[in-house]
Amino acid sequence: MTNKNSHSVVEVKKFTLFEIDQGIAKLKRRIDEVQGLVTANVPFGDARANTARSNIRESIREIFGSNSPEFQDH
């Protein structure tokens, strides 16, 4: 049985220079994706916007980790 009051351990990521560069590249791709949606005037509820939100969430998880404060906040 799982305790409702149990919390996952928050892990703060220590980055290497290579990981920083990779993370920046991933985030730039997400920014470009969102800017493309804005340029195309895509509505918030559109499937392309939902995909972009999912891609942003997954990128944050990949960059910072599933137990990171960044992932849990966003």
Side-chain angles (χ1 to χ4, degrees):
M1 180 194 284
T2 304
N3 181 350
K4 288 182 182 179
N5 294 326
S6 66
H7 298 282
S8 61
V9 175
V10 174
E11 297 174 13
V12 176
K13 175 99 176 181
K14 303 282 187 201
F15 292 97
T16 65
L17 289 177
F18 179 73
E19 290 170 325
I20 290 169
D21 289 340
Q22 281 187 318
I24 290 170
K26 284 181 185 183
L27 292 174
K28 282 183 178 180
R29 284 193 298 273
R30 300 290 68 88
I31 291 168
D32 289 344
E33 183 177 19
V34 170
Q35 287 176 335
L37 295 173
V38 170
T39 300
N41 203 25
V42 173
F44 184 79
D46 188 277
R48 293 169 289 178
N50 292 335
T51 298
R53 277 190 293 281
S54 178
N55 290 345
I56 291 166
R57 186 175 193 274
E58 182 61 18
S59 292
I60 292 171
R61 187 194 62 74
E62 288 174 356
I63 294 165
F64 295 99
S66 296
N67 294 327
S68 68
E70 294 82 2
F71 182 70
Q72 293 179 17
D73 287 347
H74 301 286

